[in-house]
Amino acid sequence: MARIVAVLAITLGLCLSSLPGMAAQDQVPLVALYRATDRQQILEAGARREGRLLLYSALSLEEANPLLEAFTRRYPFVRAEIYRASTEDVALKVITEYRGRKYLADVVELSSIDLGKVQKEGILTPFASPRSGAYPRSAKSPEGYWVMTRANMLVAGYNTRAVAAADAPKSYDDLLQSRWQGKVAVEADDQIWLASLWDFWGEGKAREYFSRLGRQGLQVRKGHSALAELIAAGEVPLSPHVYNHRAEQLKRRGAPIDWAVLDPVVAVPQMIGLPRRAANPHAAMLFIDYMLSSEGQAVLAKLGRVVAHPFVPSDPPYLGRGFRYVTIDPAKFLSQFDFYNRLWEELLVRGGR
Amino acid sequence: MSQAVPSRPFWRLSPAPGRGYSWPLVPSLASLAAAYLALSPVIFLIYGTLVGGDGPGQSLFASYLRAYTAPGAVRMLGNSVTYAAGAAVLSLLLGTILAWLHERTNTAFRGTLFILGIVPLILPGVLFTIAWIFLLSPNIGLVNLAARTLGVPTAPFNIYSLGGMIWVDGLHYSPFAFLMMSAAFRSMNPALEESAFVSGAGLGTTVRRITLRLMAPSLLSVFLLLFIRNLGTFEVPALIGRPAGIEVFTAKIWAATRRYPPDFGLAGVYALTLLLLTSVGLFVNSRLLRDTRRYATVTGEGFRGRVLDLGPWRAVTGAGVLAYLTIIALMPLAVLLWNSFLPFFMPPSRQALAAVTLHNYAVAFSYPQVARGLRNSLILAVGTAALTMLISASVAWMVVRSRTRGRWLLDVVATFPITLPGIVIGVGLIWTYLTLPVPIYGTLWILLIAYLTRFLPYGIRACGAALTQIHRELEDAGELSGGTWGVRFRRIVLPLLRPALIAGGTYILIVSVREFSSSVLLWGPRAEVLSVVLFDLWQSGLFQQVSAMGSALCAGLIVLAAAFWWVNRRQELNPG
Amino acid sequence: MVRVEGLTKHFRVGNRTIQAVGGVTFSIPQGAFFTLLGPSGCGKTTILRCIAGLEQPDAGEVWLDERLVYSHSRGTAIPPHRRDLGVVFQSYAIWPHMTVYENAAFPLEVRRRPGGEVRRRVREVLELVGLDGLEARPAPSLSGGQQQRLALARALVHAPKVLLLDEPLSNLDAKLREQLGRELKSIQRRVGVTTCYVTHDQAEALTLSDVVGVMTEGRLIQTGPPREVYAHPHDPFVAWFVGAANLLPGRLETVNGIAMVTTACGSLRCASPNGLSSGEVLLCLRPEDIKIVTDRPVTDGLNVWSGILEDVVFSGESSEAYVRVTGTTLRARGAGAAFPPAGTTVYVVFPPERCVVVPRGAAG
């Protein structure tokens, strides 16, 4: 009998001890919107107490680890870690966790669409960072839910051994030429690309374009970065769904890949937001400040990313400048996701079959 | 256990002779734990399909409707079955031929076959699949490139196809078929074949009319097991099926959970369907094995069977064995190693050799996730193995030895998770621990629970089989000498069970390290495991780093396995 | 008939080489029932398997019916399925997935005999072994004894030249063993097939065989008809293994044509010196040949020893008495309960013609 009681008591104790403390979460909006002059000291003191930070992001490990290291060099008392997966998966994780009342994420940094999903669930809380002042209005949420940190530019990447620079496509219409039959690869879930162009061109032109593109015998591969690697390896000659920063990275390593701008370039912004029940709000705000500061943005730029800060140039600068780009409003995309998804499946994946 | 002993309901205490009541606490708790682990994911899965998911239409069975009226549902079913059956046939074919060569002939490279042939079992499925993608990619696959240099006009192999999926999984599980069919051959009385020889039948006739007929139940049983396992694998469908546009159950479940809004209802329905298929398969299998009791030819003695002398054919079969080992172990390892030294994927050439670098290794091992993944996988593996075998021993005791009524039910419940594919367990556990107020979601604990759930049935089976070999009288003698249950279990049963515990524990250790399909849904920040880290690196397009990490991992695992095997040999040759 | 010459076979166990059979030579006349008798591990089963072709000897030759089926020196090795044998295995090796009929018909089917002949022969042979009427039964449903008969039927259905049996009765209980043994003998005589039988049970060997070959440690020690081997063992091992025996070391001397053996218990006159005239010998006394009396018999003093009756063990059809004579315990057997009670001083009488000597330190 005594043994049973002991076992039950231990189990109960274990369960209780892992319940998250309540006090911290109530503070999150307060911390997030704190604007007084001693903001920095308050945040640092709070972060010292908290001691850790959990970032949910789609940055690859290659980029996230140096970024976190840089942040930790600045604030050595914060142990920063990342939960990394593809942007859809991370969004899903946060949503699932919040639905299950598990509050693990401190900062969320995702593509506009996926952050939009997170926001729609009511997970985000507005924040005020002095660093966001530098950003144009189009790069910020009017209510203060998110700020843009970087952007993925979708360009036409091609293997330089299979395609001479002169033969590379110069416009979207070039992709419809018969010589690209069976040679173009698309990313498996790039509905946002279709949606952005659809939005820009209007239904008539868009429908016709995508129907014809779908009949080009498209190959499908999953993952934008993987796609770039495959092009560099020679597996597929060409794709309009390559992130230009990724192609540039590979090019720098000596891989036979290059990229060409197709007008208009579809830009997929990546934004940062604060979950409303973050466990370490002080550390979270410090990180958000850092990500938005020119220092943090410079770290990202050095890693080859197209950054959003207007005064921090990308490296090389032509990654983010010199072409026209379009973005679709996340809310609009999300609300019409089924429509765009059906188009995607019907016109491109199944090729009108 | 048909003894004329009055049975009593399980909640009544069992009296020890002359000592009042002693409660077998440990096995009862263990049995409760096993039952809980087995049932909770399924219960919550069903609950989830009825209640959950934000899909349009909130009626109770909306998920079911959605699942089965979706376009392509039939094709998905067809694909799943074709893929699972095809891979099973390939594994069985390879495994049986090799088992026959190993057990019954004096083929060259017999010993090497056994050692190297097991290698794919210890490699994570993610890694094996990735290696084959590097080998058989339509344009850059090394095999295709080699074929092209030999003059074949177009790439003969395309891994992004149903055939490619069957090839990879078929190869991957052939060692499993090899082990099982070896055991079957070993348990067959060779006098049955010898009496055919002396009755005038040549080798061909004997194999046809005697050997194969006697092996038929084993063959069918192994096929079913492989089929069920293939239905539930996720590595190949994720890495090859998706780009190929070939959807199977596991991929559909995965996709449903990644939709926005996440459709757990749909995932649950597909999971239940998969569960149904596997249950039917296992039921058929158990019926088969029961009927073949009349074919049982073994009384536990090992047979030193007559070994067929192949004569000049030794060289031919030896070459075949070498080819098999090359395909299954050397080629994948080689391509991973090759890729790990390059800055980006290049076929072998002078240029490539000049670009060789160690950079990938440096980068990959600088990621804290990699170190953490390694550490977590090891901790989980050791913990799972230890806990599983402890619980298994207790539960098996309860099933085999105790006199409580209804212990057959415990047997069924405890071994039922064999039918649950890993991904189904994953979805079920998500539901369970988001609903129950137990805060283990996203931690290593939920992974531990998933692994325990998956592997307990194997432990229980192994311990159960070993226990039935240990005569009840050994324990009775202990009881009559005055020992309580605890003492008897510790000092009589456990030591006698030691071989089964060690064998079972080692097996579970190995398969825990490579577990993927549950881990991929359940991992969390700071709770990542090896297979997921590999998968994530691949998905991020960091092919070179995956290769570097993979090569190092393979080397480590092979060394570990070799160490195990060597220690085992030493034990066998000088026991005690 | 069967002829085996110089058969030798080694086995590798781990990193050692064991000689299982060493230079064995014997022959079995046509139609005879020959038994290889010996303890476990003596090599008798190995010899049988070599004759069958299931093992390859390392030296020697095997002839079946004037046909050379194996010769190491000449490089001949005819595979088992062409040696035209019938074999009954210790485990019967009945195929569980076939019926009784199919089991028995198999040897004829693989020889592609016409259907009518197969049916006829199978019916005949099943009747011969007493399984007629059970053709359609699945083989595993037969009892042990029935399976053994089926194995015999299968071995005989194609009228082989030679029949080999590897301890076929050892898995049966005592009564069944006896009965089947007798049936086996009668069937063999009826069919007239040359038979080589292997067993460790000396009673079986003595009752069934025409000729017995006693083996130990890979060597054939003595061959001969059962009576001969029993009554006149050439070797201590044969004396000890075949039947029960009291073995006493002693010295043999022949004086004036009369053979005398001096042992620690006393001297004996013996009448069958086994071709020996003097030397170190073992005196072999069968328990049933020893007579126990309470009054001193009137003789010339020889072949009578006195001792104390230590124990009497009753075992149904006979009793055994243990008599202590000068430090050695002798075993005697008598019918019924024929012995005086324990503790009595008795006299032990040995008829000289039943005293056998065997050279000590011989092949055993």
Side-chain angles (χ1 to χ4, degrees), chain B residues 189 191-203 205-206 209-211 213-214 294-297 303-306, chain C residues 11 49 52-55 80-81 85-87 89 91 93-98 106-107 109-111 138 140 154 158:
Chain B
N189 183 355
L192 291 171
E193 288 168 325
E194 288 174 346
S195 55
F197 287 139
V198 297
S199 300
L203 182 62
T205 316
T206 305
R209 291 193 60 175
I210 309 290
T211 319
R213 301 275 176 88
L214 286 172
R294 59 191 198 99
Y295 283 29
T297 51
F303 287 103
R304 196 199 62 196
R306 169 176 186 252
Chain C
F11 281 118
R49 287 172 68 87
L54 296 171
E55 305 273 4
H81 63 276
L85 298 163
V87 180
F89 291 86
S91 61
I94 300 299
W95 297 307
H97 58 294
M98 296 185 182
F106 186 87
E109 282 173 5
V110 300
R111 287 173 172 78
R154 179 179 67 188
H158 57 288

Side-chain angles (χ1 to χ4, degrees), chain A residues 52 61-62 65 81-84 88-89 92-93 97 99 117 220 225 229 233-235 246 253-256, chain B residues 54 137-140 243 257-258 260 343-344 367-369 372 434 441 523 525-526 536 540-542 544-545:
Chain A
R52 51 205 323 213
L61 291 183
E62 220 174 23
N65 282 326
E81 280 158 345
I82 181 171
Y83 173 82
R84 173 240 99 88
E88 306 105 7
D89 289 345
L92 198 69
K93 192 91 162 104
E97 286 171 5
R99 286 223 188 136
K117 292 179 194 168
V220 179
S225 301
E229 284 264 350
E235 168 75 6
R246 193 82 176 107
R253 268 191 246 161
Chain B
D54 285 344
S137 260
N139 292 317
I140 54 170
T257 63
R258 289 171 67 247
Y260 179 72
F344 51 89
Y367 295 153
Q369 291 81 3
R372 253 206 316 265
L434 285 185
Y441 179 82
W523 72 284
R526 277 177 262 120
D536 190 52
S540 308
L542 299 172
Q544 271 51 51
Q545 286 154 23

Side-chain angles (χ1 to χ4, degrees), chain A residues 33-46:
Chain A
L33 296 169
Y34 195 74
R35 285 190 169 93
T37 40
D38 58 346
R39 182 176 181 273
Q40 186 66 15
Q41 286 96 295
I42 299 282
L43 285 183
E44 284 191 26

Side-chain angles (χ1 to χ4, degrees), chain B residues 173-457:
Chain B
Y173 285 112
S174 57
F176 180 76
F178 170 66
L179 284 177
M180 305 232 83
M181 291 313 294
S182 285
F185 275 119
R186 231 175 296 144
S187 76
M188 191 175 93
N189 183 355
L192 291 171
E193 288 168 325
E194 288 174 346
S195 55
F197 287 139
V198 297
S199 300
L203 182 62
T205 316
T206 305
V207 166
R208 215 173 11 102
R209 291 193 60 175
I210 309 290
T211 319
L212 279 182
R213 301 275 176 88
L214 286 172
M215 283 286 138
S218 301
L219 285 170
L220 205 49
S221 166
V222 175
F223 171 79
L224 271 174
L225 282 176
L226 287 169
F227 179 75
I228 289 165
R229 189 183 274 238
N230 290 335
L231 270 183
T233 57
F234 183 53
E235 290 94 328
V236 169
L239 293 167
I240 300 180
R242 286 224 64 201
I246 297 172
E247 293 231 291
V248 297
F249 268 113
T250 47
K252 255 305 207 260
I253 294 173
W254 165 256
T257 63
R258 289 171 67 247
R259 272 210 208 159
Y260 179 72
D263 199 343
F264 282 119
L266 195 66
V269 173
Y270 286 130
L272 281 181
T273 314
L274 195 54
L275 178 56
L276 200 66
L277 278 176
T278 54
S279 304
V280 166
L282 276 170
F283 178 71
V284 171
N285 192 37
S286 73
R287 282 248 87 114
L288 204 74
L289 289 180
R290 196 172 314 162
D291 284 346
T292 64
R293 194 114 4 125
R294 59 191 198 99
Y295 283 29
T297 51
V298 150
T299 52
E301 316 157 16
F303 287 103
R304 196 199 62 196
R306 169 176 186 252
V307 160
L308 184 69
D309 183 5
L310 291 172
W313 288 93
R314 275 191 85 216
V316 175
T317 56
V321 167
L322 274 186
Y324 171 76
L325 289 175
T326 308
I327 290 181
I328 209 171
L330 293 177
M331 274 168 69
L333 291 178
V335 79
L336 280 179
L337 205 61
W338 168 250
N339 211 17
S340 70
F341 291 120
L342 300 175
F344 51 89
F345 191 84
M346 281 188 273
S349 69
R350 208 164 307 149
Q351 230 178 339
L353 284 172
V356 160
T357 168
L358 283 178
H359 179 70
N360 299 316
Y361 285 92
V363 171
F365 285 97
S366 72
Y367 295 153
Q369 291 81 3
V370 168
R372 253 206 316 265
L374 258 165
R375 202 193 61 211
N376 287 341
S377 283
L378 265 168
I379 294 178
L380 272 177
V382 172
T384 308
L387 268 178
T388 304
M389 292 326 287
L390 275 175
I391 300 181
S392 299
S394 313
V395 173
W397 187 90
M398 197 72 165
V399 170
V400 172
R401 279 280 196 271
S402 75
R403 299 183 181 123
T404 55
R405 203 169 8 187
R407 57 184 192 270
W408 63 271
L409 185 60
L410 175 63
D411 190 22
V412 168
V413 166
T415 52
F416 147 82
I418 278 187
T419 62
L420 296 177
I423 206 165
V424 172
I425 292 181
V427 176
L429 285 177
I430 291 180
W431 266 108
T432 312
Y433 293 101
L434 285 185
T435 317
L436 291 181
V438 181
I440 61 171
Y441 179 82
T443 65
L444 278 182
W445 291 102
I446 200 176
L447 284 170
L448 181 67
I449 296 216
Y451 289 12
L452 278 177
T453 310
R454 282 200 83 171
F455 301 131
L456 262 178

Side-chain angles (χ1 to χ4, degrees), chain C residues 1-2 26-37 148 152 163-169 180-190 192-199 203-213 223-226:
Chain C
M1 53 95 83
V2 176
F26 63 89
S27 66
I28 311 177
Q30 175 67 35
F33 194 120
F34 179 86
T35 299
L36 279 172
L37 172 68
Q148 200 256 33
L152 184 62
L163 176 66
L164 305 175
L165 301 113
D166 186 2
E167 305 206 47
L169 303 179
L180 278 178
R182 277 200 307 272
E183 284 185 30
L184 192 65
K185 178 74 179 170
S186 103
I187 290 174
Q188 190 267 345
R189 224 177 254 145
R190 208 167 349 146
V193 61
T194 311
T195 302
C196 182
Y197 187 97
V198 158
T199 183
E204 225 172 75
L206 294 176
T207 42
L208 298 177
S209 332
D210 297 329
V211 182
V212 175
T223 321

Side-chain angles (χ1 to χ4, degrees), chain A residues 12-312:
Chain A
L12 197 61
L14 280 174
C15 287
L16 288 176
S17 67
S18 355
L19 286 177
M22 301 311 282
Q25 267 92 345
D26 296 339
Q27 286 188 307
V28 174
L30 297 174
V31 175
L33 296 169
Y34 195 74
R35 285 190 169 93
T37 40
D38 58 346
R39 182 176 181 273
Q40 186 66 15
Q41 286 96 295
I42 299 282
L43 285 183
E44 284 191 26
R48 229 177 264 271
R49 264 195 329 266
E50 288 160 2
R52 51 205 323 213
L53 173 80
L54 191 51
L55 167 68
Y56 275 37
S57 165
L59 273 173
S60 83
L61 291 183
E62 220 174 23
E63 293 150 348
N65 282 326
L67 180 68
L68 290 177
E69 269 167 46
F71 175 74
T72 311
R73 269 199 298 274
R74 175 92 190 265
Y75 300 108
F77 44 83
V78 178
R79 203 180 78 209
E81 280 158 345
I82 181 171
Y83 173 82
R84 173 240 99 88
S86 71
T87 178
E88 306 105 7
D89 289 345
V90 175
L92 198 69
K93 192 91 162 104
V94 178
I95 292 171
T96 308
E97 286 171 5
Y98 266 69
R99 286 223 188 136
R101 286 191 290 276
K102 307 285 185 264
Y103 310 116
L104 301 168
D106 293 322
V107 184
V108 183
E109 200 252 3
L110 299 173
S111 80
S112 56
I113 304 308
D114 294 298
L115 202 69
K117 292 179 194 168
V118 172
Q119 189 185 357
K120 201 156 155 215
E121 292 278 317
I123 294 176
L124 298 179
T125 185
F127 62 87
S129 167
R131 302 281 168 269
S132 54
Y135 291 77
R137 206 165 307 156
S138 56
K140 294 190 282 212
S141 144
E143 300 91 0
Y145 281 105
W146 48 262
V147 180
M148 188 169 138
T149 48
R150 50 194 174 92
N152 291 334
M153 304 296 193
L154 290 171
V155 299
Y158 60 91
N159 182 292
T160 49
R161 294 216 189 104
V163 179
D167 298 329
K170 313 274 183 311
S171 69
Y172 285 108
D173 283 333
D174 280 354
L175 291 177
L176 300 177
Q177 289 164 353
S178 56
R179 65 192 170 110
W180 295 118
Q181 174 73 237
K183 295 216 164 80
V184 178
V186 293
E187 204 276 335
D189 289 304
D190 232 338
Q191 295 87 344
I192 191 173
W193 173 80
L194 180 144
S196 308
L197 288 175
W198 193 281
D199 198 45
F200 184 70
W201 287 332
E203 163 134 13
K205 170 168 179 195
R207 187 178 281 278
E208 209 214 299
Y209 177 77
F210 289 118
S211 311
R212 287 176 61 192
L213 185 63
R215 289 197 281 274
Q216 284 287 73
L218 301 172
Q219 296 187 50
V220 179
R221 295 285 181 270
K222 178 90 193 101
H224 292 91
S225 301
L227 194 52
E229 284 264 350
L230 288 173
I231 289 178
E235 168 75 6
V236 289
L238 172 78
S239 174
H241 294 156
V242 174
Y243 291 152
N244 68 353
H245 69 267
R246 193 82 176 107
E248 194 65 30
Q249 248 171 16
L250 286 168
K251 189 167 145 193
R252 252 190 237 182
R253 268 191 246 161
I257 182 173
D258 207 345
W259 54 279
V261 164
L262 303 178
D263 179 67
V265 168
V266 172
V268 185
Q270 313 287 308
M271 289 123 62
I272 194 166
L274 179 70
R276 63 182 161 81
R277 300 200 67 163
N280 305 298
H282 298 86
M285 280 315 298
L286 282 180
F287 186 79
I288 291 179
D289 285 352
Y290 183 76
M291 270 292 261
L292 297 177
S293 70
S294 43
E295 189 187 332
Q297 291 275 297
V299 171
L300 274 179
K302 191 134 157 278
L303 290 167
R305 285 294 201 158
V306 180
V307 295
H309 197 291
F311 304 128
V312 175

